[in-house]
């Protein structure tokens, strides 16, 4: 399924897979996030075969014309501030998606699935 963005130059369709990949990149580049957690059995199977899956742990939901909600399932580093890491991650994910695709991000939801010691 694609998200359509219309502006004065025309119409652009952006796939949900592209948005999920961008969100995954934006999330793991933040300090304190050590990885993404599998959100489905399909993610876990892909992980078993050793393929890189940048959409792992990312759920995109279309909520309106050119607007999405993003849910991230993450693993945090032990000892980091959960509020600080989540706020930075939300801002970074929203900025990357909106600047690179033109799709508006309504909400970024973060679900901490595990804490890891690095």
């Amino acid at each position: 399924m694609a998200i359509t963005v219309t502006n004065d130059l025309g119409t652009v369709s952006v796939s949900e897979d592209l948005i999920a990949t961008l969100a995954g990149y934006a999330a793991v580049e933040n300090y304190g996030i050590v990885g993404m957690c599998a959100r489905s059995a399909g993610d876990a199977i892909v992980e078993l075969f050793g393929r890189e899956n940048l959409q792992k742990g990312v759920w995109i939901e279309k909520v309106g014309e050119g607007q999405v909600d993003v849910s991230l399932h993450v693993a945090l580093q032990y000892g980091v501030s959960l509020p600080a890491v989540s706020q930075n991650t939300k801002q970074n994910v929203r900025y990357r998606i909106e600047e690179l695709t033109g799709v508006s991000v309504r909400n970024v939801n973060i679900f901490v699935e595990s804490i890891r010691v690095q």
Side-chain angles (χ1 to χ4, degrees):
M1 177 182 259
I3 289 84
T4 305
V5 179
T6 305
N7 59 25
D8 57 340
L9 298 175
T11 302
V12 177
S13 294
V14 181
S15 74
E16 287 184 12
D17 289 341
L18 174 65
I19 295 172
T21 301
L22 291 173
Y25 269 125
V28 296
E29 73 183 11
N30 285 290
Y31 175 78
I33 294 185
V34 294
M36 304 297 286
C37 298
R39 64 180 169 93
S40 68
D43 286 345
I45 291 170
V46 169
E47 195 173 332
L48 284 175
F49 289 111
R51 290 188 49 209
E52 183 178 15
N53 183 8
L54 298 171
Q55 299 172 18
K56 180 175 80 168
V58 181
W59 186 261
I60 305 296
E61 181 182 357
K62 183 178 177 181
V63 292
E65 187 64 31
Q67 194 173 40
V68 295
D69 283 347
V70 179
S71 296
L72 305 169
H73 298 264
V74 300
L76 291 183
Q77 180 178 349
Y78 176 76
V80 299
S81 169
L82 175 61
V85 170
S86 63
Q87 186 65 27
N88 288 340
T89 303
K90 287 178 180 185
Q91 290 173 351
N92 193 33
V93 168
R94 174 174 275 127
Y95 173 77
R96 297 284 184 191
I97 291 172
E98 289 179 352
E99 288 299 311
L100 294 174
T101 66
V103 174
S104 176
V105 177
R106 187 179 73 169
N107 293 315
V108 178
N109 303 307
I110 298 178
F111 300 93
V112 179
E113 300 289 338
S114 67
I115 295 180
R116 298 181 190 160
V117 178
Q118 288 295 94

